[in-house]
Structures are given as C-alpha cells and as structure tokens.
Amino acid sequence: MSGGHVLCRVEDIPDGTARGFDWPKGEVKVKILVARKGDRVFGYRNACPHVGVPLEMDPDDFMSIDGRWLQCSTHGAQFRVEDGMCIIGPCAGRPLRSVPLTVIDGVVAVRE
Ligand code: FES
C-alpha cells in the first residue's frame, strides 16, 4: 500500500534534514530530494532553478548550516523547506519544482 513509487520511511530521514533519491520515471532516473520537518515531508526535483545542477555536492547534504533552509552548494541559493521558494541567492523568487508525495503508514512514496 504505497500510492506510488516507494522511497523510504519517514523516520529514515532525520528530522530537519533531507535525502536524495533517484526516481525511476519511464526510461530516466529523475533526481529528487525529500525534506522532513517533524511529521511532514516535502518533495522537490533536485535541480537548482539557477542553472539546473543538483543542489548537493556531498550525499544528502541539502541543508544550510543553521538547518533552516535547503541550500544549493554551487552558488549558495537558499530555499524554504515548506514550498521550495528561493528566498536568497541568484534565483531568488523562483521555486524548486515540487514532487507530490504520499505518506501512508509512515511510508513515503512519489504520487504517480
Ligand atoms: S546553481 Fe544553484 S545557486 Fe547557482
């Protein structure tokens, strides 16, 4: 019972962090990330709106040092966890592309 492509369990993402996944979509694997805040999870394409590169340089290293924002490692853009909006950086005002998720019995899946 997943409602889509299963990624992990909520508790596999430590609260206040994010994890990267490859989401098989047809022939391609789409890089996505899932951020957790408490019991809530937020899914985004792992592509910076600035020049399209993945946000992280080290695996699962998506958060700013203060833990408040998703951050792009390339030029430092920072994004709100809740809606992916870039609040500072070269792509300010442009959001990460949302990936709809489901959580059923603690299992996080991409809604397909
Ligand atoms: S590529 Fe992300 S801020 Fe420039």
Side-chain angles (χ1 to χ4, degrees), residues 8-10 16 25 27 31-32 47-48 52 54-55 63-64 66-67 72 83 89-90 93-96 102 105 110:
C8 66
R9 298 190 60 81
V10 172
K25 197 174 183 219
E27 298 291 302
K31 285 187 169 302
I32 64 172
C48 182
L55 298 183
M63 303 306 293
S64 59
D66 65 7
C72 179
D83 63 4
R94 293 163 60 196
L96 297 170
T102 61
D105 295 333
V110 178

Side-chain angles (χ1 to χ4, degrees), residues 22-72:
D22 287 329
W23 169 34
K25 197 174 183 219
E27 298 291 302
V28 295
K29 285 188 177 164
V30 178
K31 285 187 169 302
I32 64 172
L33 66 93
V34 178
R36 177 181 169 196
K37 254 195 172 182
D39 291 336
R40 297 186 300 162
V41 289
F42 305 90
Y44 300 104
R45 297 283 185 111
N46 183 6
C48 182
H50 183 210
V51 292
V53 297
L55 298 183
E56 86 285 30
M57 285 190 186
D58 296 316
D60 300 329
D61 185 15
F62 290 104
M63 303 306 293
S64 59
I65 288 177
D66 65 7
R68 289 184 64 194
W69 314 101
L70 292 162
Q71 179 167 300
C72 179

